[in-house]
């Protein structure tokens, strides 16, 4: 019978290290979740190690150890926001068939998320105001997240053209610009001005865009 050359101590060490690593990831995820909750209300620039320490009940050094800098914390929040955005908006829409059905599903899911963010705030919009004229990795992470979503929308529009549901000569960039404009206007009207009926107008605006660009003329 083979004889084990490892002692009980060395056998247990990897398991202890694995548990510690898992616990560390859980703690970091909890901090990011708390940071995202704060950022939606006070913006990315409002985040601080001290504020998160108060919210999570951890020490400042404990929070700092998971990120190393405020900048890395902000980037982690942007990545988490983008991951949740994809889970709620993008992936469910992929179940719809290619063409206008999928494009509409993407917009409808975007509107559902926007209806919640009218009360809580949107990282993409508040972050654009905070970092529009500031170079650096935080701005880059934020811009790349928005561009990733816009690229997905442009692919959906291109697929509408491939399916023959939107006229071949339609500019994908122009159509995306108009759709994105509806979301931005909705945030301004509903969140800032509290204009009644803003959600309905945004949905009507999307229908109007489709009617203008459809291959069958609506």
């Amino acid at each position: 019978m083979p004889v084990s050359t490892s002692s009980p101590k060395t056998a247990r060490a990897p398991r202890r290290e694995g548990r510690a690593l898992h616990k560390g990831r859980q703690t970091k995820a909890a901090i990011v979740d708390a940071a995202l909750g704060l950022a939606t209300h006070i913006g990315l620039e409002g985040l601080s190690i001290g504020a998160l320490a108060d919210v999570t009940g951890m020490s400042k050094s404990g929070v700092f150890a998971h990120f190393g800098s405020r900048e890395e914390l902000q980037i982690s929040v942007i990545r988490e926001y983008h991951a949740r955005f994809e889970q709620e908006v993008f992936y469910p829409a992929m179940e719809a068939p290619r063409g206008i059905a999928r494009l509409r599903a993407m917009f409808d899911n975007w509107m559902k998320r926007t209806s919640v963010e009218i009360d809580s705030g949107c990282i993409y919009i508040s972050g654009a105001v905070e970092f529009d004229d500031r170079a650096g990795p935080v701005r880059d992470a934020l811009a790349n997240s928005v561009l990733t979503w816009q690229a997905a929308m442009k692919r959906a529009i291109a697929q509408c053209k491939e399916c023959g549901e939107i006229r071949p000569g339609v500019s994908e960039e122009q159509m995306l610009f108009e759709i994105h404009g509806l979301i931005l206007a909705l945030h301004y009207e509903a969140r800032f001005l509290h204009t009644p009926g803003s959600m309905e107008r945004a949905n009507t605006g999307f229908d109007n865009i489709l009617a203008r660009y459809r291959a069958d003329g609506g």
Side-chain angles (χ1 to χ4, degrees):
M1 177 181 293
V3 178
S4 174
T5 57
S6 62
S7 67
K9 272 186 183 178
T10 56
R12 284 195 298 267
R15 286 198 294 271
R16 284 200 300 270
E17 290 173 3
R19 285 195 296 270
L21 183 61
H22 180 66
K23 185 177 180 181
R25 287 173 177 165
Q26 284 184 318
T27 303
K28 184 173 183 178
I31 296 171
V32 171
D33 183 67
L36 179 55
L38 280 176
T40 54
H41 288 92
I42 63 176
L44 289 166
E45 278 295 86
L47 289 178
S48 70
I49 300 294
L52 273 178
D54 292 339
V55 170
T56 58
M58 298 177 62
S59 65
K60 289 183 182 179
S61 59
V63 174
F64 187 83
H66 285 280
F67 300 97
S69 69
R70 178 168 171 264
E71 192 174 75
E72 185 55 41
L73 169 64
Q74 291 169 323
I75 293 171
S76 295
V77 168
I78 292 168
R79 289 172 179 161
E80 178 64 20
Y81 179 85
H82 183 71
R84 295 186 187 188
F85 186 93
E86 286 187 323
Q87 288 296 326
E88 293 179 26
V89 179
F90 176 71
Y91 292 120
M94 293 302 100
E95 298 176 8
R98 288 187 175 194
I100 284 178
R102 181 174 294 181
L103 182 63
R104 182 178 287 280
M106 293 171 77
F107 182 77
D108 287 347
N109 293 344
W110 199 1
M111 285 288 288
K112 288 176 188 174
R113 185 173 180 91
T114 301
S115 67
V116 174
E117 292 179 333
I118 285 170
D119 294 323
S120 64
C122 173
I123 294 291
Y124 285 163
I125 292 178
S126 62
V129 174
E130 293 173 317
F131 292 93
D132 60 347
D133 59 352
R134 297 173 54 185
V138 177
R139 185 194 186 282
D140 292 344
L142 186 64
N144 287 337
S145 293
V146 175
L147 290 171
T148 297
W149 169 238
Q150 289 191 338
M153 288 289 290
K154 278 203 287 188
R155 282 196 302 273
I157 295 170
Q159 288 167 359
C160 290
K161 292 164 70 174
E162 292 165 7
C163 295
E165 295 180 331
I166 285 178
R167 298 195 308 274
V170 169
S171 165
E172 293 148 32
E173 289 77 12
Q174 179 63 34
M175 192 168 177
L176 170 62
F177 185 90
E178 293 178 24
I179 294 172
H180 192 194
L182 294 173
I183 299 295
L184 297 178
L186 175 59
H187 271 275
Y188 194 92
E189 292 286 335
R191 184 169 168 80
F192 180 53
L193 299 178
H194 305 292
T195 305
S198 298
M199 295 288 294
E200 291 78 7
R201 291 190 187 93
N203 280 312
T204 299
F206 182 73
D207 290 338
N208 291 341
I209 291 170
L210 290 183
R212 280 203 319 276
Y213 292 127
R214 284 184 72 134
D216 58 8

